[in-house]
């Protein structure tokens, strides 16, 4: 038996993405965004409104980074989601995290997060069905501690996902199958 519930944010898991930019004065701004995904193989899309300081920065600097949050930094990741850069200009400094300037785009790489996509701003869609920020990925860097045999090892990444049903964070770690292979067992 099924039961109807009252929610519109029903996709689980949702990513916990850290979107980082530089403010006008060169300080770092980071926000937590769950509504983002790949648009194409080398493009990301983030459903963000223009009221976010981060979006204003992206439009001005034409660049941003997207990092995958991990279980070691849940507190910092959540902080970036509950505090606005519009009201707390030093929120990155308050987090205790560190950053390195990207060599390829005008945006910071947060050193403590395991995976970072460096992105050039493509466009902002704000019509009725616009999705917000679209960016082209020009580089992906990974903390070497999260690699096995020169490949990203998700179990070492300890990525977290957002649960919109209970507002919790969960680790995404255990491999349970082989993509593009397991389903072939049912092919006749």
């Amino acid at each position: 038996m099924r039961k109807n519930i009252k929610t519109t944010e029903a996709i689980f898991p949702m990513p916990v993405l850290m979107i980082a930019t530089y403010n006008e004065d060169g300080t770092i701004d980071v926000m937590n965004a769950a509504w983002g995904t790949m648009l194409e193989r080398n493009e990301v899309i983030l459903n963000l409104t223009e009221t976010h300081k981060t979006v204003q920065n992206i439009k001005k600097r034409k660049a941003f980074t997207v990092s995958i949050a991990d279980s070691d930094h849940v507190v910092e990741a959540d902080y970036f989601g509950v505090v606005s850069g519009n009201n707390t200009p030093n929120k990155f400094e308050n987090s205790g995290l560190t950053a390195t300037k990207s060599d390829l785009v005008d945006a910071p790489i947060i050193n403590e997060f395991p995976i970072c996509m460096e992105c050039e701003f493509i466009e902002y869609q704000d019509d009725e069905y616009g999705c917000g920020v679209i960016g082209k990925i020009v580089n992906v860097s990974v903390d070497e501690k999260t690699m096995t045999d020169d490949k990203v090892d998700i179990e070492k990444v300890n990525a977290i996902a957002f649960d919109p049903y209970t507002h919790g964070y969960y680790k995404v770690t255990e491999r349970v199958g082989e993509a593009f292979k397991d389903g072939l067992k049912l092919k006749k």
Side-chain angles (χ1 to χ4, degrees):
M1 176 175 247
R2 301 186 64 82
K3 180 177 180 172
N4 293 333
I5 60 174
K6 294 186 184 232
T7 186
T8 57
E9 301 171 4
I11 293 177
F12 174 81
M14 294 180 83
V16 181
L17 305 173
M18 300 294 105
I19 315 306
T21 62
Y22 286 118
N23 293 313
E24 287 182 11
D25 64 0
T27 58
I28 296 170
D29 176 68
V30 183
M31 75 171 288
N32 179 326
W35 293 12
T37 192
M38 301 300 299
L39 180 62
E40 295 283 343
R41 283 193 175 273
N42 67 339
E43 294 176 356
V44 294
I45 189 160
L46 308 169
N47 191 345
L48 307 174
T49 64
E50 288 182 288
T51 58
H52 292 291
K53 178 70 173 160
T54 305
V55 173
Q56 296 165 23
N57 291 342
I58 289 170
K59 290 172 116 182
K60 287 179 185 152
R61 297 279 186 151
K62 307 296 184 204
F64 58 99
T65 59
V66 179
S67 294
I68 306 296
D70 64 340
S71 60
D72 290 341
H73 300 96
V74 170
V75 171
E76 294 89 343
D78 193 57
Y79 174 73
F80 291 139
V82 297
V83 175
S84 169
N86 288 317
N87 305 322
T88 309
N90 63 337
K91 77 178 189 175
F92 181 72
E93 182 181 310
N94 292 346
S95 75
L97 299 181
T98 61
T100 303
K101 184 177 183 339
S102 166
D103 291 332
L104 301 172
V105 298
D106 188 16
I109 296 169
I110 310 308
N111 297 321
E112 290 79 5
F113 293 124
I115 299 174
C116 180
M117 293 166 271
E118 299 163 62
C119 302
E120 293 174 347
F121 175 60
I122 294 175
E123 75 173 286
Y124 185 82
Q125 297 180 348
D126 63 354
D127 60 357
E128 182 181 2
Y129 297 105
C131 296
V133 174
I134 299 173
K136 178 183 177 184
I137 301 168
V138 296
N139 188 50
V140 179
S141 63
V142 180
D143 185 330
E144 290 179 289
K145 294 183 294 190
T146 64
M147 299 182 79
T148 300
D149 299 327
D150 288 331
K151 294 184 180 177
V152 175
D153 184 335
I154 291 300
E155 291 183 19
K156 290 181 180 177
V157 169
N158 284 319
I160 57 174
F162 172 66
D163 162 21
Y165 296 99
T166 66
H167 295 172
Y169 294 111
Y170 290 84
K171 281 176 41 170
V172 181
T173 57
E174 185 181 353
R175 188 179 189 109
V176 296
E178 300 298 321
F180 309 108
K181 184 178 178 184
D182 288 350
L184 296 175
K185 296 172 188 171
L186 299 179
K187 192 174 179 182
K188 297 182 189 222

